[in-house]
Amino acid sequence: MTRVRKDPAERRQELMTIARELFCEKGYEQTMVQDICKKAGVAKGTFFYYFPTKEDVLKAIFESWMKKFVGEYTHKAEGLDAVQKLRLFLRMSARENTIEPLVDNLWAEHYKELVMVLWQRIVMDGFNPLLQKIIAEGNETGAMQVLHQEECLDFFWSLTEALWPDEKKDIVTGESMVIRMEMAARLIEQLFGMEKGSMVHWENAE
């Protein structure tokens, strides 16, 4: 059989896409490297050229999603002030995303610790730099008053965990979600030193 030569970036993305599909269909543990190679029509050596292990392709999938999020956010945030940027970040974080089914499967397979490690990398390498810029701009314009940035972000992420609890996401009612968002709005205003009412209805703000 003649193997199709592809651009390295295209081949790498293809392997990531196929791996994500199989991880969701068969489960992460049940999917072998040979399964990914078979569906992609490549030899194992090709896979290992791009990813030393199965976990490495999983890491790459998360990293790719993070980069797409950051890119989309950066484009949409152009021309917005600091408060509007924070609203945008929260709205984008709250919506359903392409990586969520994979996370659900990993969680169900008891790979919680692995998910947390991957998520922490997304937060540190992708999300926190965005939030740090928002805070810097907000402090400069007076829209925010954050004296202790690191502690502020630690509390912010704890707050988002309470807003969208993984262990309750299938049972939280619409009414409960509205209550949680109203509470989160008030707490975020205090946390970032913003004027009262700045985050009201952030989920619908333009």
Side-chain angles (χ1 to χ4, degrees):
M1 181 179 67
T2 302
R3 297 191 182 278
V4 179
R5 292 186 177 276
K6 294 187 177 182
D7 176 80
E10 183 183 355
R11 178 66 79 188
R12 186 175 189 274
Q13 182 58 54
E14 178 187 40
L15 290 170
M16 289 165 55
T17 300
I18 290 173
R20 179 169 58 81
E21 291 172 353
L22 289 174
F23 292 159
C24 289
E25 292 171 8
K26 299 179 61 174
Y28 176 71
E29 188 164 344
Q30 293 301 316
T31 298
M32 302 292 109
V33 169
Q34 65 186 28
D35 298 325
I36 300 171
C37 294
K38 182 178 180 180
K39 190 168 182 178
V42 301
K44 279 188 178 181
T46 300
F47 177 91
F48 291 123
Y49 173 79
Y50 295 101
F51 308 105
T53 67
K54 184 173 73 170
E55 186 172 315
D56 284 306
V57 73
L58 181 64
K59 291 176 181 177
I61 291 168
F62 275 75
E63 181 180 358
S64 176
W65 174 82
M66 178 265 287
K67 288 181 178 179
K68 288 179 181 178
F69 180 102
V70 171
E72 182 183 354
Y73 164 84
T74 301
H75 175 71
K76 290 184 175 181
E78 291 182 8
L80 301 181
D81 62 34
V83 173
Q84 291 170 329
K85 286 177 181 177
L86 183 57
R87 289 173 176 169
L88 173 64
F89 181 87
L90 285 166
R91 288 201 311 277
M92 289 181 61
S93 299
R95 70 187 183 185
E96 292 185 8
N97 59 69
T98 56
I99 207 172
E100 197 167 331
L102 176 57
V103 171
D104 289 343
N105 276 26
L106 289 167
W107 207 268
E109 290 185 75
H110 307 293
Y111 281 98
K112 180 178 179 179
E113 290 186 8
L114 178 56
V115 171
M116 296 306 295
V117 168
L118 296 173
W119 178 251
Q120 191 62 27
R121 179 174 297 180
I122 286 176
V123 169
M124 298 302 295
D125 295 345
F127 292 169
N128 274 358
L130 297 180
L131 291 168
Q132 288 163 357
K133 289 181 180 179
I134 290 173
I135 290 172
E137 180 182 335
N139 281 346
E140 184 178 352
T141 61
M144 298 178 181
Q145 296 180 29
V146 178
L147 299 179
H148 307 287
Q149 186 180 97
E150 182 177 349
E151 290 77 8
C152 174
L153 291 179
D154 285 345
F155 274 90
F156 173 79
W157 289 114
S158 296
L159 178 57
T160 61
E161 287 181 18
L163 180 57
W164 300 299
D166 286 308
E167 68 278 6
K168 291 185 177 181
K169 66 179 180 179
D170 293 328
I171 60 174
V172 172
T173 64
E175 181 181 359
S176 175
M177 202 66 237
V178 170
I179 294 172
R180 288 170 184 269
M181 286 182 172
E182 290 176 350
M183 288 181 173
R186 293 194 294 271
L187 291 171
I188 289 172
E189 287 169 358
Q190 295 178 38
L191 188 59
F192 284 78
M194 294 186 288
E195 182 180 347
K196 186 176 181 180
S198 297
M199 297 301 293
V200 172
H201 304 307
W202 58 263
E203 70 279 11
N204 297 317
E206 294 298 329

